[in-house]
Amino acid sequence: GADSGKRDSIKGYPYRNNKNYISGIFQLVGAWTAIGHPDDEPVPAGDVMKNGRIFRTAMNLIRELSFTSRIIDHILSNLDAPAYHILHEARSRLVEQNAAYAAVASLDPTYLHGRSISYNRATRNHEDARDPPEAWTPILVVGKFKRGGTLIIKKLGMRMSYMPGTLIFIRGAVLPHEVDFFYSGQRISIAHFVHKAVLAQVGITDIPISNYKESKYYTEPLSLNVPAM
């Protein structure tokens, strides 16, 4: 994934030796299957269940993030209504079948199964291989850094400003993406996701894709009529 086969590669953490910076990834996930074990019953991620104090902190964080979760849920309902409905159906089935996920989901209003929270990490080019190709990956960046941290999507020839407060929706399993180095402050990225293996266990294998022109957010491209010279 994002560390190109090396978990938490040190090349992705430019401030790892600075005592004022936290560096790493916290998997805030209510339904998780280990890589290579797609048929195992999903469980909360080990990061969440490490001990009682961390579990309490993780649940408080999910509660505090419920505001942004509702925003993300609302955006998806307008951006891609068919996907919104099928993913909420998946959530309902998972809540019914998995008591551990139901407990976590009681604090979390969205269809999402989890979040990867990256602290002060420049992400190398990668695809979100465990996500369905049809699914949107919402990513929220927060913190107080002042420059850098550019989002790069080479397939589209795109370099986009990705400053604190930015929320993007990307098909992360389809479009390889990376985040450039950042400077002058702390950067925290919250990537929200659903995984194919978890969806398959509740009988969801296809996510419909709506025509982008049907989205409530669609606007016609501007036409620049430049007189011929």
Side-chain angles (χ1 to χ4, degrees), residues 90 124 173 200:
R124 293 195 284 175

Side-chain angles (χ1 to χ4, degrees), residues 137-141 151 153 160-162 166-170 177:
T137 303
I139 310 175
L140 173 66
V141 62
L151 175 68
I153 305 176
M160 188 177 80
S161 176
Y162 201 20
T166 304
L167 172 65
I168 68 165
F169 277 66
I170 183 175
H177 50 284

Side-chain angles (χ1 to χ4, degrees), residues 30-81:
W32 183 269
T33 58
I35 295 175
H37 299 271
D39 297 324
D40 289 355
E41 185 174 1
V43 297
D47 286 357
V48 171
M49 304 299 296
K50 201 165 290 185
N51 58 51
R53 179 180 58 83
I54 290 176
F55 177 74
R56 180 189 63 195
T57 302
M59 295 304 101
N60 283 335
L61 180 55
I62 286 179
R63 177 180 283 169
E64 290 176 9
L65 289 173
S66 64
F67 175 73
T68 53
S69 297
R70 289 187 176 92
I71 291 173
I72 288 169
D73 211 53
H74 176 73
I75 290 173
L76 183 71
S77 70
N78 288 278
L79 176 69
D80 195 341

Side-chain angles (χ1 to χ4, degrees), residues 120 142-147 163-164 183-188:
N120 295 309
V142 295
K144 294 184 178 180
F145 66 98
K146 295 180 180 178
R147 60 191 180 94
M163 299 301 289
Y183 307 92
S184 303
Q186 308 256 4
R187 182 183 188 278
I188 301 170

Side-chain angles (χ1 to χ4, degrees), residues 23 31 35 44 56-57 74-75 83 93 95 100 112 138-139 143 183 199-200 203 219 224 226:
S23 296
I35 295 175
R56 180 189 63 195
T57 302
H74 176 73
I75 290 173
R93 295 182 190 180
V95 165
L112 298 155
I139 310 175
Y183 307 92
L199 294 175
T219 57
L224 299 178
V226 180

